[in-house]
Amino acid sequence: MALFLTENDVKQVLTATMALEAVESAHRDLALGLAQDTPRARTRLPQTVLHILQGALPAQGVLGYKSYTSNRSGNRFLVHLHDAASGQLRAVVAADYLGMVRTGAASGVAARWLARPDSTVAGVFGAGWQAEGHVRAI
């Protein structure tokens, strides 16, 4: 039976440090040709859009996708994680907070590798939901 993690579960478990390590590892695998990242696909209806992002990390034994819908009432995010060998569903994860932390972690990894070592100031444009993850990771 697959595990289901709610937004509260994710908030209790996920740390910025965990996200930084995972994002850096995934990007390293992708750069080495050891991972797959498929461009986002969208299905558009007059009232709602379905977005699908998918990828695979064979060295970690997983593949999966993030799906979310967006319309005037907001966005709803879910990640489906599958076992790479068997195809079995391992988990479904509510992914609003997860996405915010993961997006911020990508900025954190970029800052780690691209910023001057003596940098002490970071500029962030905007102060919305995503900004929190970027500031925390950097």
Side-chain angles (χ1 to χ4, degrees):
M1 184 61 144
L3 178 66
F4 180 76
L5 297 175
T6 66
E7 287 293 333
N8 284 334
D9 295 331
V10 175
K11 288 176 183 177
Q12 290 178 13
V13 173
L14 181 62
T15 67
T17 300
M18 290 168 63
L20 283 163
E21 291 171 2
V23 166
E24 186 163 13
S25 174
H27 279 90
R28 184 180 307 110
D29 282 2
L30 187 60
L32 294 172
L34 303 174
Q36 293 182 24
D37 180 23
T38 304
R40 182 183 322 240
R42 291 186 171 93
T43 301
R44 298 176 193 276
L45 297 178
Q47 61 279 66
T48 301
V49 179
L50 171 65
H51 313 258
I52 306 281
L53 301 82
Q54 59 181 310
L57 294 167
Q60 296 181 33
V62 295
L63 72 157
Y65 65 95
K66 174 181 179 179
S67 66
Y68 66 100
T69 58
S70 56
N71 61 26
R72 290 183 182 183
S73 68
N75 302 305
R76 286 145 300 280
F77 304 90
L78 289 171
V79 167
H80 293 75
L81 186 65
H82 296 265
D83 182 272
S86 70
Q88 292 292 320
L89 181 64
R90 285 188 180 176
V92 177
V93 183
D96 188 22
Y97 181 77
L98 172 65
M100 182 268 288
V101 173
R102 196 254 345 131
T103 301
S107 291
V109 170
R112 177 185 297 160
W113 289 100
L114 300 174
R116 293 189 328 240
D118 61 341
S119 296
T120 59
V121 175
V124 177
F125 293 94
W129 172 241
Q130 291 287 327
E132 179 182 337
H134 294 277
V135 170
R136 195 181 304 168
I138 292 170

